[in-house]
Amino acid sequence: MSSRALVSTVCPDRVGLVSAVTGHLFGLGANLRDATFAVMGAGAEFSAVCELPDGVAVEEVQDGLASLPELAGAQIKVTPFAFDPDPGPLARITHRVEVSGGDQPGLIARLSEIFTQFEANIVRLDAQTLPDHEGGRYTIRFAVSIPPERAGTCLSAIANTAETMGLTCTAEAL
């Protein structure tokens, strides 16, 4: 019987990371389900839910990844994944929202609380500082699942909050 594992790596960013990790997992016969990769500062993070073939243990996956030169100095964690790998209705992305401008303490907390008030689920979140002429711009991208009957008021609340903070906001329905 196959099993599922969560593979997570954090290491210095370098060319070839995704190729090395996914190539190794493919060589083991693992099937990738949901996966993410992001460069964060000078580091990089890769996470994936994998279906492991019969006879492949999480320890074997972790030891194999640790032997890859691309993952030298990495924090590698491979653990059993007990959750259903098939996303439920709250994972269906209905809107993409981008808020950008100057960074402010508590910005993500404040915006995410608005989504919570409207029973919207944040499915993906990406935030980063982008260099520009004025010393940097902070951009947050949300992929959210908003109940249809609350979408208009939720998006208005996000846009109004962004505006009061001197930020720009764009939203796209999918």
Side-chain angles (χ1 to χ4, degrees):
M1 177 180 196
S2 66
S3 60
R4 288 184 298 274
L6 175 63
V7 174
S8 177
T9 66
V10 178
C11 62
D13 183 33
R14 56 178 67 102
V15 172
L17 284 173
V18 173
S19 177
V21 172
T22 59
H24 179 74
L25 294 170
F26 175 73
L28 291 173
N31 181 41
L32 269 64
R33 301 285 297 229
D34 291 344
T36 63
F37 175 80
V39 172
M40 296 185 289
E45 184 269 336
F46 175 88
S47 295
V49 174
C50 301
E51 292 177 349
L52 303 178
D54 292 339
V56 175
V58 294
E59 297 82 10
E60 180 181 350
V61 177
Q62 184 155 334
D63 292 345
L65 290 170
S67 71
L68 297 175
E70 294 86 354
L71 291 179
Q75 298 171 8
I76 302 167
K77 188 173 183 182
V78 181
T79 57
F81 188 77
F83 300 101
D84 186 344
D86 294 323
L90 288 177
R92 184 181 165 274
I93 298 169
T94 60
H95 295 81
R96 294 192 199 283
V97 178
E98 181 175 302
V99 176
S100 65
D103 191 10
Q104 299 175 36
L107 181 56
I108 294 174
R110 189 166 177 190
L111 295 171
S112 63
E113 177 60 28
I114 294 168
F115 287 122
T116 300
Q117 290 171 4
F118 290 93
E119 298 181 10
N121 188 43
I122 298 171
V123 179
R124 298 271 183 188
L125 169 90
D126 175 57
Q128 63 186 150
T129 301
L130 304 170
D132 74 3
H133 303 102
E134 290 91 44
R137 179 175 55 111
Y138 194 67
T139 299
I140 308 165
R141 292 177 191 91
F142 296 95
V144 293
S145 177
I146 307 173
E149 67 279 5
R150 296 172 185 231
T153 53
C154 177
L155 296 172
S156 291
I158 292 287
N160 290 339
T161 300
E163 185 178 344
T164 63
M165 299 174 80
L167 306 170
T168 61
C169 177
T170 59
E172 165 189 27
L174 302 178

